[in-house]
Amino acid sequence: MAVSLCGKRALLTRVNFNVCPKRFGYIVLVPEIGEDLPEKNPLQREDGLPEFGTVTVEKCVSVIGKQAVDMEKQVKDLDAQVTGKAVKDVFTEVLDPLEHIGSALETTWGVAKTLYLGNSVLMPTKSYITIHDRARRARMAKFSSNNIYKAIKEAHLKGSENLSEEQKRIIQKYALEGKLNGLELDSHQKAVLDNALIKLGEERTKFRQKVELSTKQFNHVVEDYGVVRDFPPEVLQLFAKDPTHPTKGPWLVTLQPQVAANFLEYCPDRTMRWNVWQAQTRRNSNFGEKSLATSTTIEEIRFLRRDQAKMLGYNSFMDMSMETKMAGSRENVTRMLEALREKAKPAQDAEIKSLRGFAEKFGFKGQLEAHDIPYFRRKQLKALHHYDEEIIREYFPLPKVLTGMLELCERLFQIRIVERQGVDTWHEDVRYFDVLDEDKPVAGFYLDLYTREDVKMHTKDNFGWTVGIRNRSSVTNTKPLSALIFNFPSPIYGKPSLLGFEDVEMLFQRFGYALQQLLTKVNYSEVAGATNIEWDAVEVVSHVMSHFLYNSTTLREISSHYATEDPLSDAMMGSIQASRTHFAGYDLCQQLYYSAFDMELYSRKDFWIDIMRELWPKYMTLPLEKKDAHPCSFTPIFSGDWAAAYFSHVWSRVIAADVYSAFHEAGGNPEVLATVGRRFRDTFLAMGGSCAPAEVFRRFRGRDPSPKALISVLGLKKKGKGGEEGGKK
């Protein structure tokens, strides 16, 4: 995913558009001089919705090409207009024009993204990547203009009592983007920075390609059905060489994240589990093929990022990263990690002890090791709490879940969500909904629920996306428009699509992400929805929505047996709720370890192996295996966009748990719940990136955030001494 130097997202979908399993189509070069096109956007209908029915790759290319060239020319013209001029009103003279300049391209880009994920025949992968790169370059023009930056910086330094909170945030955004793009450097310094960034891009690409090759090299063929007999049907499909006949071998085990994770969880053969686990943790290390080793690449990436930060005036890349984080400082992150570790580590110790006892009941002998954990924790969860994913799935038919989720949002946020018929879409299964506030349409979204083999974007470790097609803007008079795209199984033989609980959770999270865009009330697209929200707060609303799934009332509203319509029993609800706390200490400690490792890696100069060995025993109960070199394939912080930001995943969970606790405290009182829901809408959903997230939280909660709520919902307070019972079967 392409980002500006400060790490702001160019896309909000968290999709790696450079790594994709599909390779349809051909490369279409985006013209640098756009074709003559009518003034009206040919990809847009009279009602303001995209013209999906007539979209072709060639038309997308032509429109993007013209809009990109137009945008760059208009930015250049605006830059010339403000050169040497005292700007009296920075919004009237600079920022409002920039809002207009970027509007058309953003919408067309959103259409292209939607097609890429929803129909790869209409938008092949290679074609989209070319479009994406061209649109991104054009968008960056407004953040890379020296004279526009000077005008905005001057307004930032002067300040103004006449500016709204939203306007001040926009000025701060442009000022920070400009600084982090090197606009305060002289020409020589800027050239040095640009050269370092080119090298950094090359090293990141090298790291990613080596990990890809190493991942593809490993495969293990299973011929014995006895090894896979306990695999659920949908899991077995991941392994079957012929997915249409998943029970017929052979079955192929790879290191693709979801495949490897499921194999470790369900495979009864310990030797096979170890083989997959060691291949995972030794990928790209010096213990394997030397040409694919990434240790030197890791150090080069760290060196270049350290140089980048120093050239821009920061002590470390971690300090630079804090400019775009709610946490604000490394010290604040460290305090939060330690507060969680104090509760999670003793809980993890108890969980491991409990699991050892449980495994022994099954005749397990020897030392419990990392490759044993997924297998035995699944069995323990089923034994202690009767958690059975296949039985639970029968109680979550997709139509029931969807209806219940939409009704919950209508009730909480005082809106109406109404399906509109006859809307032009990219496939007949796609549905369109209007979002109404006081019976007035304020936004809309497409919903593409079902998998379509060989047509729809589908990766092994991500089954759903939220695409912001268009942001709200009072300046350009545009309403929010989103697309939610999933790969849930299609209904078959009159049987509805049945969702596993993880699928239900993903649906709620993706819709929560969409709500931020759909219900925003800001005036500028640059701060609308999730745009300009600090990285460690951008997942908060998604996590808040998933918390509702562990509420008994919500569970009843979104579930019933697909055939008998029987409700979930209290016992089944209890097992779902218990699944969140089971091994929560172990899981949280893993996240804390990766967060601390990432933070130290980009704060210190010590060799990465020394940092890993120092931190591991502080966070993890089981000893580090001698040849474990997991950082060598840890793409998020080396080739991905989470360098010096991995803690954001934990931070957002802390904030979300604290936010949801306000709903929990309301109990079942409808009036109090409505009040809390309205306050949540007026803050987290309405304000988007127009207000600092720490201030948004204070306005919602009336205080600063605390990790206590997350510690409580994960049951970590209770586990420090005895843990869960290990002897029951």
Side-chain angles (χ1 to χ4, degrees):
M1 191 185 299
V3 293
S4 70
L5 301 186
C6 63
K8 292 289 185 182
R9 282 162 299 254
L11 301 175
L12 296 178
T13 54
R14 300 188 186 279
V15 181
N16 187 340
F17 290 97
N18 297 314
V19 184
C20 185
K22 291 183 181 293
R23 291 289 183 268
F24 311 112
Y26 45 89
I27 294 180
V28 181
L29 296 179
V30 177
E32 286 302 307
I33 300 176
E35 297 177 11
D36 290 333
L37 293 170
E39 286 299 313
K40 174 185 173 297
N41 187 340
L43 300 183
Q44 185 169 300
R45 304 193 320 175
E46 292 296 333
D47 61 4
L49 295 177
E51 188 75 59
F52 282 113
T54 61
V55 168
T56 63
V57 173
E58 292 78 14
K59 189 180 287 188
C60 257
V61 167
S62 296
V63 174
I64 287 273
K66 181 178 189 304
Q67 290 175 345
V69 171
D70 287 348
M71 181 175 182
E72 289 166 340
K73 181 180 182 302
Q74 291 174 58
V75 170
K76 189 175 181 180
D77 291 345
L78 182 61
D79 183 87
Q81 290 173 26
V82 299
T83 302
K85 175 186 174 184
V87 175
K88 295 180 180 179
D89 186 334
V90 72
F91 277 88
T92 301
E93 299 177 54
V94 180
L95 292 167
D96 284 5
L98 284 174
E99 187 85 353
H100 283 282
I101 287 171
S103 179
L105 178 63
E106 290 290 342
T107 301
T108 308
W109 192 5
V111 169
K113 280 184 277 187
T114 301
L115 287 175
Y116 166 58
L117 296 170
N119 193 323
S120 57
V121 172
L122 293 175
M123 182 56 65
T125 296
K126 291 182 180 179
S127 304
Y128 175 73
I129 290 173
T130 307
I131 287 173
H132 165 75
D133 289 342
R134 183 65 186 95
R136 179 187 59 80
R137 290 200 312 273
R139 188 181 191 278
M140 284 305 300
K142 60 184 177 180
F143 297 116
S144 305
S145 162
N146 281 296
N147 293 304
I148 289 174
Y149 171 66
K150 288 175 184 176
I152 292 173
K153 183 185 175 184
E154 186 177 345
H156 179 54
L157 293 173
K158 284 182 179 178
S160 176
E161 295 180 0
N162 299 323
L163 294 180
S164 68
E165 181 178 54
E166 177 182 347
Q167 289 175 322
K168 290 176 183 176
R169 278 279 283 186
I170 293 170
I171 288 176
Q172 290 168 2
K173 173 181 179 174
Y174 273 88
L176 182 58
E177 290 272 10
K179 176 187 175 183
L180 296 176
N181 278 302
L183 296 185
E184 290 191 353
L185 304 177
D186 62 34
S187 57
H188 173 70
Q189 292 170 325
K190 183 68 164 64
V192 173
L193 175 65
D194 289 344
N195 186 53
L197 291 172
I198 290 170
K199 289 181 179 178
L200 176 59
E202 291 170 352
E203 292 298 322
R204 291 175 64 183
T205 300
K206 187 189 299 182
F207 185 94
R208 173 177 55 79
Q209 290 174 341
K210 284 185 175 183
V211 174
E212 282 181 351
L213 287 170
S214 182
T215 300
K216 289 175 181 176
Q217 276 189 352
F218 176 88
N219 63 76
H220 174 74
V221 178
V222 176
E223 301 278 358
D224 181 7
Y225 179 72
V227 174
V228 300
R229 67 172 180 271
D230 291 334
F231 289 30
E234 74 284 353
V235 171
L236 203 55
Q237 277 189 310
L238 294 173
F239 296 89
K241 283 195 172 182
D242 179 5
T244 60
H245 296 90
T247 57
K248 293 183 179 179
W251 300 271
L252 183 65
V253 185
T254 71
L255 295 184
Q256 292 296 336
Q258 196 191 24
V259 173
N262 276 289
F263 190 76
L264 291 174
E265 192 174 340
Y266 288 98
C267 175
D269 188 302
R270 192 179 189 223
T271 302
M272 287 186 181
R273 292 201 306 269
W274 178 85
N275 187 40
V276 171
W277 178 86
Q278 63 84 24
Q280 260 190 326
T281 56
R282 297 178 191 178
R283 261 182 307 172
N284 305 102
S285 72
N286 291 326
F287 300 110
E289 188 177 325
K290 299 300 180 185
S291 64
L292 295 179
T294 57
S295 181
T296 303
T297 311
I298 287 173
E299 292 304 304
E300 186 65 21
I301 288 171
R302 292 177 67 200
F303 171 79
L304 289 166
R305 281 177 167 151
R306 190 161 58 242
D307 261 14
Q308 174 192 355
K310 287 188 180 298
M311 281 186 270
L312 293 171
Y314 298 95
N315 291 327
S316 69
F317 190 76
M318 184 69 197
D319 291 326
M320 176 179 150
S321 171
M322 285 296 109
E323 288 274 35
T324 56
K325 306 300 181 295
M326 175 185 175
S329 72
R330 181 186 168 192
E331 291 71 27
N332 289 340
V333 178
T334 301
R335 279 195 294 271
M336 183 270 288
L337 294 181
E338 184 57 24
L340 293 172
R341 190 191 72 85
E342 285 179 357
K343 299 295 182 182
K345 183 60 165 59
Q348 179 192 183
D349 294 341
E351 289 163 354
I352 296 294
K353 181 180 178 181
S354 167
L355 196 65
R356 283 195 186 107
F358 177 81
E360 287 170 3
K361 298 287 183 180
F362 280 85
F364 178 82
K365 296 178 181 180
Q367 190 68 29
L368 196 71
E369 297 181 36
H371 57 278
D372 300 313
I373 300 295
Y375 179 74
F376 283 109
R377 68 180 282 185
R378 176 184 63 83
K379 282 187 166 294
Q380 188 186 46
L381 176 62
K382 186 171 183 178
L384 294 181
H385 305 293
H386 310 291
Y387 186 90
D388 191 320
E389 181 72 19
E390 290 311 296
I391 293 176
I392 287 172
R393 184 183 297 274
E394 295 181 352
Y395 285 82
F396 289 100
L398 180 50
K400 177 73 173 180
V401 174
L402 180 62
T403 300
M405 180 185 73
L406 297 182
E407 289 177 351
L408 173 68
C409 293
E410 288 181 324
R411 198 165 57 248
L412 285 175
F413 310 129
Q414 290 92 61
I415 57 174
R416 289 177 57 220
I417 301 173
V418 181
E419 185 169 5
R420 193 201 302 184
Q421 303 294 331
V423 173
D424 189 33
T425 65
W426 57 93
H427 190 272
E428 61 184 9
D429 288 343
V430 180
R431 302 161 68 184
Y432 179 83
F433 295 82
D434 287 304
V435 180
L436 286 74
D437 183 17
E438 296 180 350
D439 291 327
K440 296 178 182 177
V442 295
F445 64 93
Y446 297 90
L447 190 59
D448 188 354
L449 293 168
Y450 304 116
T451 188
R452 293 189 289 277
E453 292 293 331
D454 299 326
V455 172
K456 198 171 181 180
M457 174 72 173
H458 185 194
T459 64
K460 296 287 186 182
D461 56 344
N462 196 336
F463 291 84
W465 296 268
T466 301
V467 180
I469 299 176
R470 185 175 64 217
N471 268 348
R472 185 182 192 276
S473 174
S474 298
V475 178
T476 59
N477 193 31
T478 54
K479 294 176 182 176
L481 183 65
S482 292
L484 291 100
I485 301 171
F486 300 95
N487 275 289
F488 298 133
S490 299
I492 187 169
Y493 306 129
K495 184 178 178 180
S497 176
L498 302 179
L499 304 185
F501 195 72
E502 286 185 0
D503 296 329
V504 177
E505 194 165 34
M506 181 180 62
L507 175 63
F508 268 63
Q509 288 182 342
R510 296 294 187 268
F511 195 69
Y513 196 83
L515 285 173
Q516 280 184 285
Q517 189 198 17
L518 298 171
L519 296 182
T520 191
K521 289 194 172 182
V522 303
N523 297 301
Y524 287 84
S525 65
E526 285 296 344
V527 292
T531 310
N532 200 48
I533 293 180
E534 281 73 353
W535 272 53
D536 48 353
V538 79
E539 295 178 329
V540 167
V541 175
S542 299
H543 286 308
V544 170
M545 287 299 295
S546 66
H547 276 283
F548 281 99
L549 292 174
Y550 298 91
N551 175 280
S552 299
T553 302
T554 304
L555 275 175
R556 288 190 182 94
E557 290 174 344
I558 66 170
S559 66
S560 65
H561 193 276
Y562 78 95
T564 65
E565 297 188 359
D566 290 340
L568 272 176
S569 66
D570 290 343
M572 291 180 72
M573 278 193 285
S575 71
I576 290 172
Q577 290 160 343
S579 69
R580 176 164 62 167
T581 59
H582 185 253
F583 254 67
Y586 178 87
D587 291 337
L588 182 57
C589 278
Q590 276 195 324
Q591 274 201 310
L592 295 175
Y593 160 73
Y594 283 121
S595 300
F597 177 75
D598 172 52
M599 190 164 66
E600 294 297 317
L601 201 71
Y602 290 111
S603 301
R604 295 159 47 180
K605 294 182 180 180
D606 305 64
F607 191 42
W608 68 265
I609 290 179
D610 296 329
I611 296 174
M612 174 186 72
R613 288 173 178 168
E614 174 190 326
L615 292 175
W616 183 271
K618 183 179 178 182
Y619 290 94
M620 303 308 298
T621 301
L622 296 180
L624 183 68
E625 200 262 348
K626 285 182 180 180
K627 295 184 179 181
D628 189 337
H630 56 272
C632 289
S633 58
F634 193 31
T635 54
I637 66 170
F638 295 122
S639 62
D641 300 321
W642 293 98
Y646 200 80
F647 77 90
S648 299
H649 299 300
V650 179
W651 188 276
S652 62
R653 289 180 66 195
V654 168
I655 304 302
D658 204 344
V659 167
Y660 178 76
S661 64
F663 291 96
H664 178 73
E665 289 161 9
N669 189 316
E671 292 182 6
V672 179
L673 271 174
T675 301
V676 176
R678 186 74 205 190
R679 191 166 75 247
F680 183 73
R681 178 184 168 181
D682 291 341
T683 51
F684 281 93
L685 299 183
M687 300 181 81
S690 69
C691 179
E695 179 59 25
V696 174
F697 182 90
R698 288 187 202 103
R699 292 180 190 181
F700 177 75
R701 256 340 226 142
R703 57 169 173 77
D704 288 333
S706 163
K708 292 180 181 178
L710 182 63
I711 290 168
S712 177
V713 298
L714 294 180
L716 300 180
K717 287 182 179 179
K718 305 173 184 178
K719 288 187 178 181
K721 294 181 180 179
E724 295 178 273
E725 296 177 51
K728 291 184 180 179
K729 286 206 281 186

